[in-house]
Amino acid sequence: MSGIINIHETTKIDATTILGGEVKIGKNCKIVNARIYHSVIGDNVEIYDSTIENSEIKNNVTIGPYSHIRPGTILNDNVHVGNFVEIKNAKVGRGTKIPHLSYVGDCEIGCDVNVGCGVIFCNYDGKNKNKTIVGDRVFIGSNSNIISPVIIEDESFIAAGTTVTDDVLKGEFCIGRVKNEIKHGVLNLYLQNFSSPLKYFGTDGIRGIYGKDLTDELCVKIGYGLTKMCQNAKILIGRDTRQSGNVILKNLANGIQSGGGEVYDAGIISTAGVAFLTKFFDFDYGVVISASHNPCEYNGIKIFNKNGHKLNENQEKMLEKNLILPKKIKMAKIKKVEKDAYIEHLKTICTKNLSGLKIFIDCSNGATSNYAENIFKILGADVLALNTQGTINENASVLNEKTFIENMQKSKADIGFCFDGDADRVMCITKDLVVLDGDRILYILAKYRKEKFAVGTIMTNLALEKHLLKIGTRLFRTNVGDKYIARLMKSKHYHIGAEQSGHIILSDYTTTGDGIIVALYLLNIFIENKEVFKKAEQLTMYSTVSLKVETNDKNVIKNSFVTNEIKKQEKLLGACGRIIVRPSGTEPVIRITVEGKDSEKSQKVAKSIKKVIESVVG
């Protein structure tokens, strides 16, 4: 033995083991015939007939026999490495299993991942060395080749023998010998190994009827839980116009104060406004009290990190584990924060003079009611603003296309925009009374900016994908939720992304969906090039039928009667259509979406699937 050796007295090392350089080994380890150089080994680690070099092995890890952990590797808690495995310059998350005969190099692997035997991570493309990023709860089948640079998102499934060359998005099933092919609607059996889904968080934060689902006690717990994740946290809170917002603010603030945090109130402001101010003023978290487009009896809580991005699933799980009541609840001292910095940011988006332009806006009686009209007026526009003083989302255009068209017709405006309750969504309407949803707006942005890449979701119209290809833009899809769009855009440095429902992200200006910013940016384009809007109006889209079944049972979509019916209807629909059946992340419903060229056939298919789901849930 040589160098600085620190071995806990409870650890057992046999005589054939060689230790060199600086080595630290924790409690209750068992090391047999190993070679360990310049490494840190945690507690309860077992190493057999293997070599560890310049690496960190954390707690409860098993390695070997005959494996080689090369420099720059971190193995987190509960990782299992089998025999004849080589790992180099890799970070491996807790609970991940790499059984045998695999090469894992230059990658970051998440938690609870299965790396099958004979899997090879390739990092060299002939010119550069690249890196692979793998999410959590991913299954990678045996004898697969992962060719970086790729991102494999959470809960995706790579079939055995697949060569992965493109990004695989959350929950996707990937198969292919020569080049990966994505299969939608395939059940990922690997996920059955894990605990039930999050109890409170959905696709867009925590949401429910105030007093029933979203209680005062839960709000206190959320505030307190945030201080357990970040000590002495400075937390900014903003809200929409719901009556329950003030009470929720106080309860959240009391929880934060009880945990040693500081509370700052931005008042009534959009979701994106909170995200912006959180990053601008370097708060630890930003919290939005809003249920977005839901009726007034609902409310919700969305949480942003210090960079203005929504919490990821691991952070949501961590918060749920910390949802406990403080022993003593302190009454919060809430400090005020003005939204001036955000308003000034908005003023910079539209660089054109809007004088002579008549604009109609619908604020849904929500978060932008007290400042949206003024922003457009400052830029010179003649503005007619509706729904700025009533009940949130009541008779709002964003929820009813017919209402939007009627209001626009009455206004005789040149262009119109409507926002939902927290203004993270926007729809546009032209003088010809054509409603431009998120898909058509994405087309306008892609064409005007000449973007090579755009991000949508599984709900993005299939016809739009084909229209985008014609103008040189490739569409990437994520799961439903603008946080997934934002995550992919950030990881791949893409600039535009949108949901059909109107969540649109321009990453040059915002980290999340911002209806006001998108409207202002579209006005730049409208003044400069109205033809782009004309082309978006004329796009032919596949007809979409959307139905829903009210139920709290999210697992009904895995029922064999339901899955068999979906397969049967997919055959009937053919290659010119899609079926998407998914639990809502914001309401207790199963959503059924059928898309196709033949609207009558799509209607029949959707109704048939709905009937089967209703029969299963009773």
Side-chain angles (χ1 to χ4, degrees), residues 73 191 332:
T73 296
L191 298 182

Side-chain angles (χ1 to χ4, degrees), residues 354-375:
L354 303 182
S355 298
L357 192 68
K358 187 171 185 181
I359 299 170
F360 152 64
I361 61 171
D362 184 335
C363 297
S364 294
N365 301 310
T368 61
S369 296
N370 59 357
Y371 62 86
E373 180 179 1
N374 197 40
I375 294 292

Side-chain angles (χ1 to χ4, degrees), residues 257-271:
Q257 187 89 50
S258 302
E262 295 180 45
V263 186
Y264 296 79
D265 178 23
I268 292 172
I269 187 172
S270 68
T271 286

Side-chain angles (χ1 to χ4, degrees), residues 196-257:
S196 57
L198 291 160
K199 183 176 180 181
Y200 297 106
F201 280 92
T203 53
D204 198 13
I206 296 169
R207 198 174 298 187
I209 295 174
Y210 172 68
K212 180 185 175 185
D213 309 303
L214 188 63
T215 63
D216 292 341
E217 182 179 294
L218 178 58
C219 295
V220 173
K221 287 179 178 179
I222 291 166
Y224 187 65
L226 285 172
T227 66
K228 300 298 105 182
M229 292 170 62
C230 177
Q231 289 187 339
N232 304 316
K234 291 170 61 181
I235 299 174
L236 177 69
I237 303 177
R239 62 194 186 279
D240 65 21
T241 54
R242 295 165 206 271
Q243 286 188 346
S244 57
N246 273 321
V247 182
I248 292 172
L249 167 65
K250 288 176 183 175
N251 285 310
L252 280 169
N254 291 344
I256 293 165
Q257 187 89 50

Side-chain angles (χ1 to χ4, degrees), residues 241 411 454 543 612:
T241 54
S411 75
S543 67
V612 172

